[in-house]
Amino acid sequence: LTANQMFYTSTIYREFFLVTSQFKESVLNLSKWIGYIPEKAIFHVKCLYCQNISEFADVNEAQKDNKCSHCGKALYKQCNKCKKIILSSLDKCPECGFVFASTAMYAKFFAAAEQALRRSDFDEARKNLFQAQSADPSEKVRTSELEARINAAVKMYEKPVNDLRKLIADKKFQQASKVLADTIGRFPNLNLAAYDSQIKAVINKMQSAFTNAKSLPCSKQADACLEILHECIDFKPAIDFLRANPPEPCKFLSVGLDTKSGNANLSWSRSAEQGVTYCLVRKQGKEIPTNEMDGEILLNGSPETSYRDKELQPGRSYSYAVFTIRYHVLSSAIGKTIVLLADVTEFHCEQLGTNIRLTWNNPMNCTGVTIQRTAEGTKTTLTNRANSSYEDKNVKFGVAYTYKLSANYSGLSPSNGVELVITPMIKIDSFSINAAQVIGNKYKVNWDIERDDIDLRVLVDEKQVIELKSDTSCCEVLLPPDGYHTIAVSAYSGGKWLRSLNTVQVNTYSPCEIDKASSQLQEKPILGLRSPAHRIELHIKIHDPIPNNVIGFYYAVRTKLSANEAAPWADKQEIGIASDIHKVGLPAYKINNIIICSERARNENSYYVSLFTIYNFNGNEVVTNAAKCRFDRPLIADLFWKVSKEFFDGYKLTIEISANRPFDRVPELVLCACSDGQHLLSPSDPKGQKLQTFPETKNSTFNTTFKGTYNLGDIAGAWRLNGLKLFLFEATAVPNEIYTLRWIKGFSGKVKV
């Protein structure tokens, strides 16, 4: 509906509402008079947004609730002018006639969309239709109707309009003019006035520019035609002029030959005319190409003024022509002819003892190579027919030889030639070195060079320390202490210094020593086992101070398997391979200032500790040789004894020894006696009496136990031992051996007679 129609409709609705209200009141009064109460009245309101009907008792209830029972949106709104409450679906207030903004905007954009459709501007029509739809979404009927009209028009006129637009975008205005006339004839209702105006304006402008240029010189007139074609690429008068007037040719062409690479470097002058590119043509022979089809095209339509030709064959003639091109029209040619006399490539000299071997690559079409040699002021031609290689024999050491190689071609002069100078020198192929410690930091360096009179340089950490001849076959070098050094040797061979195949790394860092006096070897029994067992705990202390760049240690604790075996020290080569070599960092060591090694004891007599010191050298670990220390395991033995009276053999001393490790001797023992009420502390105790001394004996079986019996002889009669108390002592204590003397079970220190 229009705005006026909406206004009249609202007015009718208001009057109808008043009449209906009066009728409702009359019906209620009548019902009360006759005693009849009708059913509850129902008031319906349609939602603007979801189009559903909400039910209320009356208009007052609907305005008070003001909420759609389906979508929850407002059913009423307030007029901005008179502040009356009206339905949300109304665009104009029925009380004061105020038109809401959405209605005005809708009318504006809808009218603009219709105008754009009438002039066939479909994009503008769709744009305005979208704006109208956004301004008032409730106008779905009118919006859909206009959208359908736009889509129908687009479908009908889309192809001819798009064809016309493309021609204009491609600057083909003369062709667009023809298509426009044809389109108007086919679709008289299609408004193409804007396109017609644009096309005619451009064509008229180009025609005027072309007419004004006729009075200019030919080159300037050509420039004007190019500018015209830049704006209208199918302007026929300009095209015809350019086709009838070719551009000026280049002023010069130069060709330079690179005989080493076999390339031709061409360059030509740049044209002063606008819109000009270049065409380069090459053909074999001495005749200059006359057009772009007369030979092989190397460049075509290029703005460049130089070219490198890498596809030439030596000994052949080539002719080049350069053409300037303007609007597909070529100028006359400017040309040159060349002949490439290429030199040999990959020319090398190599000394083989007293011979010089020359090698090279022949250029294509070469018939042979002439070799000239100059030495000690004399020039000699060695050959004219060499091919790829040549060997000059019996040359002199220390003399400079200059060799010149020139390539020959059939019917042509030789090439300019290439030269190389070589001075033969005494030469060796390769050699190796080794080094061994003499004493301290002094090392002897040897080399396996058989030839004498070779100059040598001995390098320590890439610094020369000695220069001598190879005749001596060895030399001594003194290396700085506390470092990690690389020894190398260079020999002067064939005019250059040749390094030895290998280098020798020497570590002069001193290993940290083990402080044996502060180290401890502790042995403790393992409780809870059926058979006696012990655990060894070795506390290894390192001598202070520890150097600043020490970062840790490797250590190994080993024992011998047999008495005849050599000392089992660990070797530096075993690090990372042997599983019993362990690593400890300096921070971990400094926690207790000891290295603790704990393991179960077996039958070992001694423990051999190898300690390697790790230094930090330029971020790398350098490991010294081992510091070695032997720790002897203490002998801890229980010696059980008793004295008994045998029926026929007299008195006997029986001993039983049980030790923590195998032992190979029984210590010297002293048997003493004293009165029953006294106690002896040593063999020399004045309260006692020495009865007998039993000398030290060897335990040949080397076991952990021993049992022996000693005959006391006639020194002990029954009358002498009766009532005495016996004591057995170790005559002399031996370091690292501890014997605890105990009675055998059942013996109490007295002999039962």
Side-chain angles (χ1 to χ4, degrees):
L1 299 177
T2 64
N4 292 331
Q5 290 172 333
M6 289 296 298
F7 173 75
Y8 291 125
T9 302
S10 342
T11 304
I12 295 171
Y13 166 77
R14 184 181 56 168
E15 294 175 353
F16 173 77
F17 174 73
L18 293 174
V19 172
T20 305
S21 300
Q22 295 173 0
F23 176 76
K24 177 181 177 183
E25 184 177 359
S26 301
V27 171
L28 288 174
N29 293 331
L30 180 61
S31 300
K32 292 178 182 178
W33 180 72
I34 63 176
Y36 169 75
I37 303 299
E39 294 182 0
K40 182 179 179 181
I42 299 176
F43 182 76
H44 296 90
V45 181
K46 185 176 183 181
C47 179
L48 170 66
Y49 303 98
C50 66
Q51 303 300 312
N52 286 304
I53 302 297
S54 298
E55 296 181 353
F56 301 95
D58 53 28
V59 66
N60 293 328
E61 181 184 350
Q63 291 180 353
K64 181 179 180 181
D65 191 30
N66 196 21
K67 182 188 295 184
C68 176
S69 59
H70 297 275
C71 67
K73 293 189 177 181
L75 298 172
Y76 292 89
K77 62 184 177 181
Q78 187 180 45
C79 176
N80 294 338
K81 185 175 181 181
C82 66
K83 307 303 180 181
K84 297 289 185 180
I85 302 300
I86 64 174
L87 288 171
S88 296
S89 59
L90 298 179
D91 297 320
K92 185 176 182 181
C93 179
E95 300 292 337
C96 65
F98 176 76
V99 178
F100 290 90
S102 59
T103 304
M105 293 299 293
Y106 177 83
K108 174 184 175 182
F109 287 117
F110 191 87
E114 286 184 321
Q115 291 177 5
L117 177 61
R118 284 193 293 271
R119 64 173 183 268
S120 303
D121 191 348
F122 305 124
D123 291 338
E124 186 68 19
R126 282 185 170 136
K127 177 181 176 182
N128 284 287
L129 180 60
F130 176 77
Q131 296 285 358
Q133 188 177 10
S134 300
D136 190 356
S138 63
E139 287 286 357
K140 294 183 179 179
V141 176
R142 297 181 66 198
T143 302
S144 300
E145 185 272 336
L146 182 56
E147 184 178 12
R149 289 167 55 198
I150 294 173
N151 291 338
V154 167
K155 185 175 181 180
M156 179 184 300
Y157 303 132
E158 184 174 22
K159 186 178 185 311
V161 172
N162 285 343
D163 292 345
L164 191 59
R165 285 178 177 174
K166 188 175 185 311
L167 290 173
I168 293 174
D170 294 341
K171 299 182 180 180
K172 298 179 180 179
F173 290 98
Q174 288 203 329
Q175 185 177 353
S177 178
K178 296 178 181 178
V179 171
L180 177 65
D182 180 64
T183 304
I184 292 174
R186 291 166 52 203
F187 306 101
N189 295 328
L190 182 60
N191 185 4
L192 299 175
Y195 298 114
D196 184 41
S197 175
Q198 181 182 1
I199 293 170
K200 287 180 178 179
V202 173
I203 292 177
N204 291 337
K205 179 182 176 182
M206 299 302 103
Q207 185 62 52
S208 176
F210 182 77
T211 302
N212 294 335
K214 288 183 178 180
S215 60
L216 300 175
C218 182
S219 62
K220 297 295 183 182
Q221 191 171 352
D223 292 345
C225 289
L226 290 173
E227 293 178 2
I228 291 171
L229 292 176
H230 180 72
E231 296 187 35
C232 179
I233 65 174
D234 62 346
F235 190 72
K236 191 172 184 306
I239 295 173
D240 293 341
F241 178 85
L242 292 176
R243 288 177 176 173
N245 296 276
E248 294 180 356
C250 294
K251 301 297 183 183
F252 69 86
L253 169 65
S254 65
V255 182
L257 291 175
D258 185 351
T259 56
K260 184 176 181 179
S261 63
N263 299 335
N265 298 315
L266 296 92
S267 62
W268 51 90
S269 60
R270 186 175 295 278
S271 174
E273 296 182 317
Q274 297 182 17
V276 171
T277 57
Y278 305 95
C279 175
L280 175 63
V281 181
R282 178 194 68 193
K283 74 175 182 178
Q284 289 191 21
K286 297 183 179 180
E287 294 184 2
I288 304 298
T290 57
N291 55 62
E292 72 272 25
M293 305 303 294
D294 188 15
E296 180 182 358
I297 296 176
L298 302 180
L299 285 179
N300 192 19
S302 172
E304 301 296 330
T305 58
S306 63
Y307 182 80
R308 173 173 289 185
D309 192 356
K310 301 179 181 180
E311 299 179 354
L312 303 182
Q313 292 187 13
R316 292 187 178 179
S317 299
Y318 292 91
S319 296
Y320 296 92
V322 175
F323 303 89
T324 55
I325 308 173
R326 184 177 60 204
Y327 209 79
H328 313 296
V329 179
L330 274 67
S331 70
S332 57
I334 178 173
K336 275 195 175 181
T337 300
I338 62 166
V339 177
L340 176 62
L341 302 176
D343 282 317
V344 300
T345 57
E346 301 296 325
F347 181 24
H348 299 288
C349 291
E350 180 185 10
Q351 178 185 343
L352 301 174
T354 58
N355 299 341
I356 300 296
R357 181 174 177 81
L358 310 177
T359 59
W360 65 88
N361 290 337
N362 285 344
M364 189 178 295
N365 303 321
C366 173
T367 58
V369 174
T370 298
I371 302 177
Q372 292 180 320
R373 183 188 70 188
T374 302
E376 298 178 325
T378 302
K379 181 182 289 186
T380 305
T381 300
L382 300 179
T383 180
N384 291 316
R385 306 291 294 178
N387 185 18
S388 299
S389 65
Y390 183 82
E391 192 164 318
D392 190 9
K393 300 181 178 180
N394 299 322
V395 297
K396 298 178 182 179
F397 293 135
V399 176
Y401 291 85
T402 302
Y403 295 93
K404 181 179 180 180
L405 275 63
S406 301
N408 302 320
Y409 298 93
S410 178
L412 299 172
S413 300
S415 66
N416 292 331
V418 292
E419 293 184 351
L420 202 59
V421 180
I422 184 172
T423 302
M425 305 295 292
I426 298 176
K427 188 175 181 181
I428 59 176
D429 294 330
S430 62
F431 67 100
S432 301
I433 64 171
N434 61 73
Q437 187 178 22
V438 179
I439 184 172
N441 294 335
K442 183 182 289 187
Y443 283 78
K444 183 178 181 181
V445 182
N446 299 273
W447 48 83
D448 58 1
I449 300 175
E450 297 180 357
R451 184 184 288 273
D452 293 339
D453 203 35
I454 301 292
D455 291 328
L456 300 181
R457 290 175 178 173
V458 180
L459 309 174
V460 175
D461 298 331
E462 299 303 322
K463 294 181 180 179
Q464 180 179 326
V465 294
I466 300 176
E467 187 168 1
L468 69 166
K469 294 289 186 179
S470 61
D471 311 47
T472 59
S473 74
C474 67
C475 69
E476 290 185 353
V477 294
L478 184 63
L479 301 178
D482 295 327
Y484 189 75
H485 308 288
T486 301
I487 300 175
V489 177
S490 293
Y492 194 70
S493 171
K496 59 183 180 181
W497 289 98
L498 176 68
R499 287 287 291 256
S500 54
L501 290 176
N502 65 310
T503 59
V504 178
Q505 280 71 41
V506 178
N507 179 5
T508 60
Y509 281 110
S510 300
C512 293
E513 298 294 335
I514 298 173
D515 187 352
K516 188 173 183 180
S518 300
S519 300
Q520 293 182 354
L521 179 62
Q522 300 177 358
E523 182 167 352
K524 300 176 182 179
I526 302 176
L527 303 178
L529 300 180
R530 293 183 178 179
S531 58
H534 294 78
R535 176 167 295 279
I536 292 294
E537 194 169 275
L538 186 59
H539 293 189
I540 305 171
K541 171 72 175 175
I542 300 173
H543 266 298
D544 289 325
I546 298 175
N548 292 333
N549 56 336
V550 170
I551 59 175
F553 306 94
Y554 287 104
Y555 68 92
V557 180
R558 294 180 177 178
T559 59
K560 293 194 295 185
L561 298 177
S562 66
N564 298 326
E565 184 182 355
W569 306 111
D571 188 83
K572 185 168 66 174
Q573 306 300 325
E574 297 180 78
I575 295 176
I577 300 174
S579 60
D580 63 343
I581 299 181
H582 307 285
K583 183 178 182 181
V584 58
L586 186 62
Y589 170 79
K590 286 190 173 181
I591 293 175
N592 298 312
N593 281 328
I594 56 172
I595 297 174
I596 301 176
C597 178
S598 178
E599 61 180 41
R600 183 172 178 175
R602 292 176 175 81
N603 292 330
E604 303 91 351
N605 273 358
S606 301
Y607 295 90
Y608 298 82
V609 179
S610 304
L611 180 70
F612 305 90
T613 306
I614 308 172
Y615 285 84
N616 178 13
F617 180 76
N618 295 333
N620 297 316
E621 291 187 358
V622 176
V623 182
T624 67
N625 293 324
K628 302 174 182 177
C629 188
R630 171 182 166 180
F631 291 88
D632 292 328
R633 181 181 176 188
L635 177 66
I636 303 173
D638 289 324
L639 191 152
F640 297 92
W641 66 278
K642 73 176 180 177
V643 176
S644 59
K645 174 70 171 66
E646 302 295 331
F647 187 72
F648 293 107
D649 296 332
Y651 291 93
K652 292 186 179 296
L653 171 67
T654 302
I655 65 171
E656 297 176 0
I657 301 176
S658 176
N660 64 327
R661 65 170 174 82
F663 59 96
D664 58 357
R665 77 179 191 94
V666 177
E668 182 181 0
L669 301 173
V670 179
L671 181 65
C672 300
C674 66
S675 299
D676 189 13
Q678 295 178 333
H679 186 82
L680 301 181
L681 298 177
S682 67
S684 59
D685 195 325
K687 298 189 296 293
Q689 179 183 0
K690 289 184 181 180
L691 299 181
Q692 189 171 341
T693 298
F694 306 97
E696 176 183 323
T697 59
K698 291 294 183 179
N699 178 12
S700 59
T701 57
F702 201 73
N703 289 326
T704 59
T705 60
F706 173 81
K707 185 174 183 180
T709 303
Y710 299 92
N711 192 347
L712 298 183
D714 297 332
I715 65 168
W719 58 272
R720 295 182 62 186
L721 295 182
N722 187 24
L724 296 180
K725 192 171 184 179
L726 303 178
F727 291 88
L728 186 66
F729 297 98
E730 183 183 3
T732 304
V734 176
N736 214 39
E737 291 186 4
I738 301 173
Y739 283 90
T740 303
L741 280 71
R742 306 174 188 274
W743 291 329
I744 293 178
K745 187 175 181 182
F747 179 66
S748 60
K750 297 179 181 181
V751 179
K752 295 180 180 180
V753 181

